[in-house]
Amino acid sequence: MAAGGGGEGVAASLSEERALFDRELEAVGSRAQWEEVRLRWLGKKRGRVRQHLQTLRDLEGEGRKVWGREVNELKRHVEAALARREAAVKALEASASSLAVDVTLPGRRPAVGALHPVSIVTQEIVEIFTAMGYSVAEGPEIEDDYHNFGALNFPPDHPARDTQDTFFIAGGRLLRTHTSPVQIRTMLEREAPPIRIICPGRVYRNDNDLRHSPMFHQVECLVVDKGVTLGHLKGTLEAFVRKLFRPDTGVRLRPSFFPFTEPSAEVDITCPFCSGGGCRTCSETGWMEILGAGMVDPRVLAGCGIDPAVYSGFAFGLGLDRVAMIRFDIPNIRLLFDNDQRLVGQVRG
Ligand code: DAH
């Protein structure tokens, strides 16, 4: 042992001991290391403090007194410092274990988004038509009377405007009631035909019940070129609905009226649920009405600077919400707009 007998030397050597202990304790990072240091210094048999105490036996008188006091001081210091360090190491280990990763815990499932049913059918329709050489056109949802009505051959104060349940807004403007104004904007913008476009978008009507929502979606189709006929319209519709629904879907045109087409037709498809046999969804008729169509009225072409003696065209307008409801068997249009994750999440295109 370093400890000697005399006053000064003893004090000096014990202060070195104390510094050595302090350094060892400082390096302690775990309970195991703390226990090692405790044993090395306070161990009953070979602890350093014990060994210093044993040297007392060989001393007498003043030397023994001084040495005894020094060793006791070292002992108290070691005990107190060990106790403090024990608390600190415990706290450290507790916080480390609370931060520890339990690799056996099941992982948290990330919420995976899904496309809205209307977005799914919109994308499909855009794909079907772009594959046939069409381009996508868009127009503003806030329109004016000219694009929404006038240029589409709705005469002023004509009752046909009433069927559109228009939302009028300040400044003589309105929320578009259909996507047909995009036809007008496209024809006015383009230098000359051929034109082959589809225009998906939101439309608005003051109408609200199980089958109608004040905001809904349409896609408009317009083709203008030399020699376009009703046969092209029917062929295009057949190709389209056979891709969108089933390959055996039938198409039927019924005479109808729209101011911007002549002739005009309502278009039915064979019911995708019963293939035309008759079921509850199609009210036992075997058919479902899905869109309005026709040959672009010569007055509309002329109004957009296209010579109807040279060019002709067809157009149709389709309700996307209705298509989504048919495709995914959704009974109520409001379900599409309630933002209920249970509906949006379950549909896969
Ligand atoms: N715009 C019509 C509507 O919303 C639908 C329509 C019918 C569009 C015939 C057309 C068409 O392009 O040719 O009721």
Side-chain angles (χ1 to χ4, degrees):
M1 261 310 84
E8 285 271 296
V10 169
S13 86
L14 274 190
S15 74
E16 268 167 34
E17 279 290 279
R18 185 180 162 137
L20 175 68
F21 166 77
D22 286 346
R23 276 198 305 280
E24 283 187 16
L25 193 65
E26 182 66 36
V28 160
S30 67
R31 292 255 276 172
Q33 289 169 356
W34 177 90
E35 182 61 15
E36 273 172 29
V37 174
R38 191 190 69 80
L39 276 176
R40 194 155 48 249
W41 290 85
L42 294 181
K44 288 263 152 46
K45 282 187 188 143
R46 265 191 290 278
R48 287 176 86 96
V49 173
R50 173 127 218 116
Q51 288 180 22
H52 288 306
L53 283 170
Q54 271 166 3
T55 59
L56 271 179
R57 273 194 244 128
D58 310 329
L59 297 174
E60 285 169 4
E62 191 58 15
R64 184 184 164 106
K65 233 169 139 189
V66 171
W67 185 239
R69 206 185 310 123
E70 295 288 339
V71 176
N72 270 328
E73 222 162 70
L74 177 68
K75 187 172 173 234
R76 275 197 302 276
H77 171 76
V78 166
E79 283 170 348
L82 274 169
R84 275 198 304 277
R85 191 77 190 162
E86 186 184 25
V89 167
K90 267 188 190 163
L92 193 75
E93 290 192 350
S95 79
S97 78
S98 76
L99 287 177
V101 176
D102 180 351
V103 292
T104 66
L105 272 181
R108 267 183 224 141
R109 255 177 208 289
V112 177
L115 284 176
H116 190 278
V118 172
S119 303
I120 294 172
V121 298
T122 307
Q123 283 188 0
E124 286 179 8
I125 292 170
V126 165
E127 270 168 35
I128 292 170
F129 279 96
T130 50
M132 295 197 285
Y134 289 62
S135 53
V136 176
E138 286 187 330
E141 290 173 29
I142 294 176
E143 266 297 3
D144 49 37
D145 186 274
Y146 171 72
H147 290 93
N148 198 80
F149 293 123
L152 286 161
N153 200 30
F154 285 80
D157 304 318
H158 191 278
R161 292 178 184 228
D162 294 346
T163 64
Q164 302 260 334
D165 297 306
T166 312
F167 284 114
F168 292 98
I169 52 177
R173 298 206 285 177
L174 48 86
L175 298 182
R176 69 178 179 193
T177 57
H178 50 179
T179 42
S180 301
V182 188
Q183 289 187 26
I184 303 301
R185 289 182 176 277
T186 308
M187 287 191 279
L188 290 172
E189 275 164 23
R190 297 270 175 106
E191 286 278 307
I195 294 171
R196 263 182 237 99
I197 52 154
I198 48 155
C199 336
R202 291 195 185 92
V203 299
Y204 302 84
R205 289 186 199 181
N206 191 2
D207 212 352
N208 201 5
D209 58 41
L210 286 187
R211 297 181 51 175
H212 299 92
S213 146
M215 186 280 296
F216 58 105
H217 302 80
Q218 288 188 337
V219 64
E220 191 81 13
C221 173
L222 173 70
V223 171
V224 182
D225 203 351
K226 289 178 181 156
V228 175
T229 69
L230 196 67
H232 293 126
L233 169 61
K234 191 165 188 224
T236 304
L237 288 172
E238 274 171 354
F240 164 50
V241 299
R242 285 175 186 169
K243 286 223 172 78
L244 187 62
F245 296 103
R246 315 160 39 134
D248 59 353
T249 307
V251 171
R252 169 172 96 172
L253 272 63
R254 280 182 290 109
S256 184
F257 173 78
F258 298 104
F260 37 92
T261 43
E262 183 56 37
S264 304
E266 309 258 11
V267 178
D268 299 336
I269 56 165
T270 47
C271 173
F273 296 97
C274 60
S275 303
C279 67
R280 267 186 57 201
T281 317
C282 59
S283 310
E284 307 299 335
T285 63
W287 294 95
M288 274 189 175
E289 183 195 323
I290 63 155
L291 56 88
M295 300 305 292
V296 182
D297 193 298
R299 287 174 60 111
V300 174
L301 292 176
C304 295
I306 294 171
D307 185 352
V310 180
Y311 294 104
S312 57
F314 69 74
F316 65 82
L318 164 81
L320 289 169
D321 316 274
R322 186 150 161 67
V323 171
M325 288 165 71
I326 297 172
R327 266 290 298 276
F328 302 116
D329 204 6
I330 297 167
N332 176 344
I333 191 168
R334 283 185 211 159
L335 289 170
L336 289 175
F337 304 124
D338 281 347
N339 285 334
D340 188 329
Q341 292 297 307
R342 286 172 302 178
L343 177 105
V344 179
Q346 72 183 308
V347 173
R348 295 273 183 270

